[in-house]
């Protein structure tokens, strides 16, 4: 795990607005990660004769990470049962996690091949560095959010990459169909999570609703944007 940059911005403000951005950014990161994995594998095959299937280049957990979050002695425990969850602060709680934007990782075989060839091939090195970047980035979130609705999105990414690369040889990663499937899957799983938390931890249930809103806002423009 690498250290947080001393010049990195700290996003704060209202929790609901941060979660709208976060859920949208997570969707962006997923598709950009898959896009660069696909390009890197194509380049390995075409230029170096090294054949790695994109699905086998990915593992279902983060292998790289920027930052470790913080434990603040002066902070209060996160209010999981707030009656006004949207007005809660996004930062300043006693346990803040460095939550992954993607939470998929890079398989050792893919990593070692890219690093070996990247020592003399600058294009390979650049492609690999982009795969790492879309794997390692994090954002500070209250720990109950990271262990709650954010874990739902982790599972969406684990499920989706197998579909995205089920026929990787001739199907683009970034398609309207794949974006729609991502959004439908995420919203369905967030609904299930929110229903379980509604009468137990209202803040977490409302957080799941904000994740859904962020995804819905980005969905109609993501294809053109990417």
């Amino acid at each position: 795990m690498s250290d947080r940059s001393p010049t990195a911005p700290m996003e704060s403000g209202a929790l609901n607005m941060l979660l709208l951005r976060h859920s949208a950014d997570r969707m962006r990161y997923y598709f950009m990660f898959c896009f660069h994995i696909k390009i890197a594998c194509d380049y390995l095959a075409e230029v170096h004769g090294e054949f790695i299937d994109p699905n086998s280049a990915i593992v279902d957990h983060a292998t790289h990470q920027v930052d470790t979050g913080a434990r603040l002695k002066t902070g209060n425990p996160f209010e999981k049962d707030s009656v006004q969850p949207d007005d809660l602060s996004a930062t300043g709680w006693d346990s803040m996690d460095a939550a992954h934007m993607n939470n998929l990782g890079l398989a050792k075989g893919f990593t070692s091949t890219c690093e070996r060839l990247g020592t003399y091939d600058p294009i390979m090195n650049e492609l690999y560095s982009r795969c790492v970047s879309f794997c390692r980035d994090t954002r500070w979130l209250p720990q109950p959010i990271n262990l709650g609705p954010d874990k739902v999105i982790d599972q969406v990414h684990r499920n989706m990459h197998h579909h995205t690369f089920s026929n990787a040889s001739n199907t683009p990663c970034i398609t309207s169909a794949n974006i729609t499937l991502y959004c439908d899957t995420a919203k369905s799983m967030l609904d299930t999570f929110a229903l379980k938390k509604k009468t137990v931890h209202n803040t977490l249930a409302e957080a799941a609703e904000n994740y859904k809103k962020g995804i819905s806002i980005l969905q109609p423009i993501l294809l053109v944007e990417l």
Side-chain angles (χ1 to χ4, degrees):
M1 291 182 287
S2 61
D3 291 336
R4 177 182 177 83
S5 167
T7 59
M10 173 61 67
E11 294 181 270
S12 189
L15 180 65
N16 65 330
M17 297 307 296
L18 179 67
L19 296 184
L20 290 179
R21 290 198 303 276
H22 183 65
S23 59
D25 285 342
R26 291 207 65 179
M27 184 158 59
R28 286 190 184 95
Y29 265 72
Y30 169 78
F31 283 103
M32 290 298 286
F33 176 73
C34 290
F35 180 72
H36 284 93
I37 288 287
K38 179 65 165 63
I39 292 177
C41 288
D42 286 351
Y43 188 83
L44 283 170
E46 294 293 331
V47 176
H48 294 286
E50 300 269 359
F51 296 93
I52 298 178
D53 177 75
N55 244 333
S56 65
I58 299 171
V59 294
D60 288 344
H61 59 273
T63 52
H64 300 69
Q65 181 171 337
V66 178
D67 202 0
T68 55
R71 299 295 177 259
L72 309 175
K73 293 181 180 179
T74 57
N76 294 317
F78 183 72
E79 298 178 27
K80 291 188 286 187
D81 303 303
S82 173
V83 295
Q84 293 181 302
D86 285 350
D87 295 334
L88 295 176
S89 173
T91 53
W93 304 101
D94 62 350
S95 294
M96 298 295 299
D97 284 357
H100 275 92
M101 303 299 291
N102 183 5
N103 210 57
L104 295 175
L106 304 175
K108 289 182 178 179
F110 175 78
T111 296
S112 60
T113 300
C114 291
E115 289 177 346
R116 170 171 53 84
L117 298 174
T119 58
Y120 65 86
D121 183 342
I123 296 177
M124 186 72 260
N125 188 58
E126 173 65 18
L127 289 172
Y128 175 59
S129 71
R130 294 190 184 195
C131 292
V132 170
S133 291
F134 286 108
C135 170
R136 69 197 288 262
D137 282 355
T138 62
R139 170 182 277 133
W140 274 24
L141 290 180
Q143 188 177 61
I145 299 294
N146 184 38
L147 298 179
D150 218 51
K151 289 296 182 190
V152 176
I153 303 301
D154 291 348
Q155 188 59 52
V156 172
H157 290 190
R158 294 187 193 105
N159 295 346
M160 275 294 300
H161 84 81
H162 294 292
H163 170 82
T164 300
F165 292 122
S166 61
N167 190 19
S169 61
N170 56 22
T171 304
C173 301
I174 302 171
T175 66
S176 178
N178 278 348
I179 290 172
T180 298
L181 180 61
Y182 180 107
C183 295
D184 290 347
T185 302
K187 291 175 186 176
S188 176
M189 292 177 69
L190 287 165
D191 277 339
T192 300
F193 173 86
L195 187 63
K196 291 179 179 178
K197 297 296 182 181
K198 196 70 175 177
T199 58
V200 183
H201 296 306
N202 179 61
T203 302
L204 299 184
E206 188 61 31
E209 293 299 323
N210 286 318
Y211 272 70
K212 287 170 55 184
K213 290 175 185 176
I215 290 168
S216 294
I217 291 169
L218 184 61
Q219 182 174 356
I221 60 174
L222 182 60
L223 183 63
V224 174
E225 181 182 294
L226 293 178

